[in-house]
């Protein structure tokens, strides 16, 4: 069974987008651990390790993606957990995407992405571990 | 990592090793039973506290407040938080951690979210094994938060050293309070959201139910009814003290019930998973002229020949 952590780092005030994605992943048959708003990168990584997830989906609207996404990838590396696939979505300008991918974020979904695209991505790129 | 090494690391308290075995056990993959065989002898030190009650009663918020309370006492805490799986997709949204976010950075708190994966009874098949892993890794207190339950999901009582049943004002009258089922298993009652109208009435109804008769023959403990407002941290110290005084005389009482429950789970898995699978049953039903009794007789006689 594939387990995905859906997390919202940063100071966003609402999590509608994250909930839509969580629901879409649930309906595709994945177990989604959802942790709510305002998570620090450290808390997200600790949670991912305790929950032994296969992937982390990050949602961010506030514009802090260029610092927060690479930070999470870095922390996972420090904890020897680079096998966890990190992907993200939210209000992210196209010009930021290459640098984020270079930093180790597997995929970025921009506004207007269909839930089925995210599901397809998980099916093709995230493997259950056990 | 080989099996001995993984188990050794878990006993040393290693978070990643424990998280990994929980996955193996939850997925019933590899030779999970062999791992668990090496874990069980290291269990029995922790106190297992069950938190059960209706959806939305505040189980997660109460669990969050209890974690803080135990941490202030210097105790380490493990949590097994169970949420339902979708009967259609098999997926799940495990959201209990939303209420426990304050503990995400505490190395002495290990929270694991678990989906029911089709199991009824308030628990998941793996929940007892996951609690055993937390016990073996040295957690002092293990809180098992059941899925939101109705009237009849009482499995937690076979597993927890102390079962806390959480209710809220306004769910029903005094007849609800004398019905059989979940209300009978409580070692402690909590009326949460006690700042709402009707809390005193709910507490009184439960109290009256308890005064009608001693609980299943035991005179030494009368379950208290404790009013809490979990999100304001009200009543939590009283609850923790009450749990402590129950455990002082009852910890260890559930040891054999817990092992029996674990064994029953293994029997069910083997019998339904290997010999009476849905496809074999469907086949036998079709072959036997749609007579369910005949279908089971056929499979049963095959099963008996195995011995």
């Amino acid at each position: 069974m594939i387990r995905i952590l859906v997390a919202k780092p940063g100071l966003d005030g609402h999590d509608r987008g994250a909930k839509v994605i969580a629901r879409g992943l649930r309906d595709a048959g994945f177990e989604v651990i959802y942790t709510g708003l305002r998570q620090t990168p450290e808390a997200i990584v600790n949670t991912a390790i305790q929950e032994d997830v296969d992937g982390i989906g990050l949602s961010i609207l506030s514009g802090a993606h260029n610092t927060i996404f690479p930070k999470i990838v870095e922390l996972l590396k420090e904890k020897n957990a680079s096998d966890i696939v990190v992907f993200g979505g939210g209000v992210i300008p196209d010009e930021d995407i290459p640098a984020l991918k270079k930093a180790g974020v597997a995929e970025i979904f921009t506004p207007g992405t269909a839930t089925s695209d995210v599901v397809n991505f998980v099916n093709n790129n995230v493997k259950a571990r056990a | 990592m080989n099996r001995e090494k993984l188990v050794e690391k878990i006993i040393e308290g290693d978070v990643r090793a424990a998280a990994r075995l929980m996955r193996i056990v939850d997925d019933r993959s590899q030779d999970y039973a062999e791992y668990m065989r090496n874990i069980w002898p290291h269990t029995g030190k922790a106190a297992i506290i069950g938190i059960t009650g209706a959806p939305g009663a505040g189980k997660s918020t109460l669990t969050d407040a209890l974690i803080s309370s135990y941490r202030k006492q210097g105790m380490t805490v493990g949590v097994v938080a169970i949420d339902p799986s979708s009967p259609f997709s098999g997926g799940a949204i495990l959201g209990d951690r939303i209420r426990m976010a304050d503990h995400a950075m505490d190395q002495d708190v290990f929270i694991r979210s678990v989906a029911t994966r089709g199991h009824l009874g308030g628990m998941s098949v793996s929940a007892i094994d996951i609690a055993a892993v937390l016990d073996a890794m040295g957690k002092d207190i293990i809180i098992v938060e059941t899925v939101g339950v109705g009237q009849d999901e009482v499995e937690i009582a076979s597993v927890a050293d102390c079962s806390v049943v959480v209710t809220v004002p306004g769910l029903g009258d005094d007849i609800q309070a004398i019905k059989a089922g979940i209300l009978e298993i409580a070692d402690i009652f909590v009326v949460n959201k006690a700042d709402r109208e009707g809390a005193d009435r709910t507490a009184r109804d439960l109290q009256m139910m308890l005064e009608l008769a001693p609980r299943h023959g035991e005179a030494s403990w009368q379950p208290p009814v404790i009013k809490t407002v979990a999100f304001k941290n009200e009543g939590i110290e009283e609850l923790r003290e009450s749990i402590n005084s129950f455990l002082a005389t009852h910890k260890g009482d559930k040891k054999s019930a817990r092992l029996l429950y674990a064994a029953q789970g293994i029997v069910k898995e083997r019998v339904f998973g290997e010999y009476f699978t849905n496809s074999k049953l469907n086949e036998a039903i079709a072959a036997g002229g749609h007579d369910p009794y005949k279908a089971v007789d056929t499979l049963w006689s095959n099963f008996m020949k195995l011995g």
Side-chain angles (χ1 to χ4, degrees), chain A residues 1-2 22-32, chain B residues 84-93 117-118:
Chain A
M1 176 69 80
I2 292 178
R23 169 72 198 270
L25 293 172
R26 182 203 86 176
D27 290 343
F30 305 118
E31 283 181 359
V32 179
Chain B
S85 296
S86 162
F88 300 107
S89 74
I93 292 185
R117 299 194 182 175

Side-chain angles (χ1 to χ4, degrees), chain B:
Chain B
M1 201 185 300
N2 68 31
R3 194 190 305 146
E4 286 75 24
K5 186 80 192 145
L6 192 80
V7 170
E8 198 179 296
K9 291 196 84 149
I10 289 167
I11 291 153
E12 287 165 9
D14 186 87
V15 171
R16 291 214 74 189
R20 183 54 44 87
L21 180 54
M22 288 172 185
R23 167 72 79 97
I24 291 168
V25 157
D26 204 19
D27 283 356
R28 295 320 207 200
S29 64
Q30 303 177 36
D31 41 359
Y32 76 92
E34 292 303 319
Y35 286 98
M36 287 314 297
R37 218 167 263 173
N38 292 306
I39 288 291
W40 276 98
H42 297 279
T43 63
K45 293 181 293 285
I48 303 181
I49 298 160
I51 307 278
T52 193
K59 296 182 294 302
S60 300
T61 310
L62 204 65
T63 300
D64 174 58
L66 271 177
I67 298 171
S68 303
S69 179
Y70 280 113
R71 291 296 297 130
K72 269 185 219 142
Q73 305 292 311
M75 302 177 99
T76 60
V77 184
V79 177
V80 185
I82 307 160
D83 263 334
S85 296
S86 162
F88 300 107
S89 74
I93 292 185
L94 310 175
D96 291 324
R97 287 188 87 107
I98 296 172
R99 315 269 179 243
M100 305 175 201
D102 288 350
H103 305 289
M105 294 306 293
D106 185 344
Q107 297 301 321
D108 287 316
V109 177
F110 190 129
I111 302 166
R112 183 69 168 214
S113 310
V114 184
T116 54
R117 299 194 182 175
H119 184 77
L120 305 173
M123 307 262 287
S124 75
V125 170
S126 60
I128 187 163
D129 289 326
I130 290 172
V133 174
L134 290 167
D135 190 345
M137 77 184 290
K139 296 290 178 242
D140 299 315
I141 298 288
I142 297 166
I143 302 175
V144 179
E145 183 195 331
T146 73
V147 70
V149 301
Q151 295 177 305
D152 204 19
E153 293 91 338
V154 296
E155 283 187 356
I156 188 68
S158 306
V159 173
D161 293 301
C162 177
S163 295
V164 177
V165 173
V166 186
T167 186
V168 286
L171 283 187
D173 58 12
D174 54 344
I175 285 297
Q176 293 300 337
I178 58 171
K179 284 186 179 171
I182 194 164
L183 294 176
E184 291 177 285
I185 66 160
D187 299 314
I188 295 167
F189 282 101
V190 166
V191 177
N192 192 34
K193 309 190 186 184
D195 51 350
R196 293 197 180 170
E197 200 187 318
D200 290 331
R201 165 91 196 266
T202 300
R204 206 163 53 233
D205 286 346
L206 286 170
Q207 201 69 57
M208 272 173 56
M209 177 269 291
L210 292 165
E211 283 159 11
L212 289 176
R215 64 181 216 138
H216 36 258
E218 187 198 4
S220 68
W221 179 263
Q222 179 75 337
V225 179
I226 297 170
K227 288 190 277 183
T228 61
V229 186
F231 86 102
K232 290 184 191 160
N233 218 27
E234 288 172 22
I236 302 303
E237 289 309 293
E238 192 191 340
L239 172 59
R240 186 181 51 76
E241 279 160 23
S242 183
I243 292 170
N244 279 355
S245 40
F246 182 78
L247 290 174
T249 49
H250 290 75
K251 184 171 181 296
D253 289 4
K254 288 292 171 60
K255 196 177 174 208
S256 58
R258 192 145 57 218
L259 292 170
L260 176 65
Y261 172 82
Q264 285 169 336
I266 297 164
V267 171
K268 274 183 218 158
E269 270 186 283
R270 289 210 186 151
V271 168
F272 285 106
E274 293 172 31
Y275 304 113
F276 295 86
T277 60
N278 284 353
S279 65
K280 282 187 194 172
L281 281 167
N282 276 330
E283 242 171 67
I285 289 166
H290 303 282
D291 173 353
Y293 294 93
K294 196 173 164 192
V296 173
D297 285 343
T298 310
L299 290 182
W300 187 260
S301 61
N302 293 341
F303 179 60
M304 293 311 281
K305 279 181 210 144
L306 290 165

Side-chain angles (χ1 to χ4, degrees), chain A residues 65-67 69-70 73 92 96-106 108:
Chain A
H65 49 270
N66 284 334
T67 50
F69 286 6
V73 173
I92 295 165
D96 289 352
I97 294 175
L100 288 171
K101 286 196 170 174
K102 194 153 176 273
V105 181
I108 296 290

Side-chain angles (χ1 to χ4, degrees), chain A:
Chain A
M1 176 69 80
I2 292 178
R3 287 163 66 86
I4 305 283
L5 172 63
V6 172
K8 274 202 72 71
L11 299 172
D12 297 349
H14 78 84
D15 58 352
R16 196 180 141 70
K19 281 178 180 151
V20 169
I21 294 301
R23 169 72 198 270
L25 293 172
R26 182 203 86 176
D27 290 343
F30 305 118
E31 283 181 359
V32 179
I33 292 102
Y34 186 61
T35 51
L37 291 164
R38 298 192 184 90
Q39 301 282 298
T40 64
E42 289 81 4
I44 288 169
V45 169
N46 276 357
T47 299
I49 286 171
Q50 285 187 357
E51 298 284 359
D52 196 39
V53 296
D54 306 296
I56 304 177
L58 299 165
S59 160
I60 201 159
L61 307 169
S62 62
H65 49 270
N66 284 334
T67 50
I68 289 177
F69 286 6
K71 173 86 181 161
I72 287 168
V73 173
E74 197 53 43
L75 287 170
L76 286 170
K77 212 174 280 170
E78 274 171 32
K79 303 225 172 185
N80 278 322
S82 295
D83 53 330
I84 300 175
V85 177
V86 177
F87 57 98
V91 187
I92 295 165
D94 286 342
E95 60 265 32
D96 289 352
I97 294 175
L100 288 171
K101 286 196 170 174
K102 194 153 176 273
V105 181
E107 191 57 275
I108 296 290
F109 299 98
T110 49
T113 303
T115 309
S116 57
D117 293 341
V118 181
V119 169
N120 287 338
F121 168 80
V122 173
N123 274 324
N124 293 330
N125 295 281
V126 182
K127 298 275 166 289
R129 195 175 278 125

